[in-house]
Amino acid sequence: MALERIVKPHIRELAPYQPGKPPEQLARELGIEGAIKLASNESAIGPSPRAVAAMRSALEGVHRYPDGACFELRARLARHFAVGEAQLVFGCGADELLELVAKVFLGPGDEAVFAWPSFAMYPIVVQGMGATPVTVPLDSDLVHDLDAMRAAITDRTRVVFVCNPNNPTGTSVGADAFDAFAAALPDEVVLVVDEAYCEFARRPDFPDAIGWVARRPGTLVMRTFSKIYGLAGLRVGYGVADPELADYLNRARHPFNVNRLAEVAALAALDDEEHAERSRRVNAEGAEYLTRELRALGCEVWPSDANFLLVRGGEDLFDRLQREGVIVRPLSGFGMPDCVRITIGRPEENERLVKTLARLRQRGAER
Ligand SMILES: *Cc1c(COP(=O)(O)O)cnc(C)c1O
């Protein structure tokens, strides 16, 4: 095909993002009915009823373009974080912000430094611009090795991504390590702190990355409504940065990148702190339950500050769970074929996972 000759080489070489299979696809492809999905770090308890009600009353207005400036959401978040309104950037999911950073700062010959294993979108957005990903292995506890990341920075480095808590390990860095790293970064490097899961973090010394925005221009802290707020299907995320950085990112985005329903739902979700609190609580209880039970079944489980667990449970665990209708995330693509990432679900989902695994172990023992 002639296109092969004209497609950008860095796009041809891109490996596409592998999303978790929805249960409907499992039914279609493998005939497995009634599966549960604990694979995409979606909210266990779903969206706030207030967010759903807000969307319902906004439905009649969808023939109108959304407010491209996200006026109300902007004002609300600026108040919440005590930052200027010009310091906020919105995206069609936080994923779009990653893409904007790449579009604005990366091209052939430029480097972006990030830990590995970490969020699968980083290499995609970096390579998507023809720039070079520079990956730095996590340390032996599967935590960001910030000293090694600092050492990996060269005069070609334009962007550093720090995923905290880290996906897919759930591990996090504390304030001391983060602060030292941020303070030592050269000025001409954009620091992107991906805090998609920070609302779940339980460690008391979790870093105040947004506090660094005022101290270090060129810092972007990303958050999302997809995880704790349960609005993944709507696609809305935001970043906090200094006004100059926010301005550059805003120039590169589509004018209506946050849709009407997403904006009203996000606003309503922020007003329902009780729901977010419940989400945190259900998650913390689920984390404790799953960690205990999975360890009792002989799995290695890493401590997690997020809404998922990294679990080492043997080579074919992903396949065997999937055949039993429990969809988790395989990590063979990260060079961890004996590990899976399990999203913490509702109590009945967690119990089903544990019972399924116990049954598989039993069967294995009988063989
Ligand atoms: C889920 C996730 C995001 C972004 O999610 P959106 O749905 O695009 O807002 C960003 N970073 C990490 C590490 C994630 O896991």
Side-chain angles (χ1 to χ4, degrees), residues 93-95 119 163 167 194 196-197 224 226-227 235:
D95 279 351
F119 190 37
C163 189
N167 179 4
D194 183 345
Y197 301 98
T224 178
S226 294
K227 307 287 159 60
R235 316 303 303 123

Side-chain angles (χ1 to χ4, degrees), residues 17 40-41 91-98 118-122 163-168 194-197 222-227 231-233 235-238 308 341:
Y17 183 85
S40 297
N41 301 342
C92 178
D95 279 351
E96 190 193 8
L97 299 178
L98 292 172
S118 189
F119 190 37
M121 282 303 295
Y122 304 152
C163 189
N164 199 37
N166 187 45
N167 179 4
D194 183 345
E195 294 194 328
Y197 301 98
M222 288 178 19
R223 304 254 178 118
T224 178
F225 286 93
S226 294
K227 307 287 159 60
L231 302 179
R235 316 303 303 123
V236 51
Y238 61 95
F308 56 87
R341 189 193 69 191

Side-chain angles (χ1 to χ4, degrees), residues 48 50-51 76 225 229 231 264-273 275-276:
S48 155
R50 288 207 222 171
R76 178 75 169 72
F225 286 93
Y229 293 108
L231 302 179
V264 296
L267 260 174
L270 287 173
D271 283 335
D272 196 350
E273 199 34 57
H275 185 80

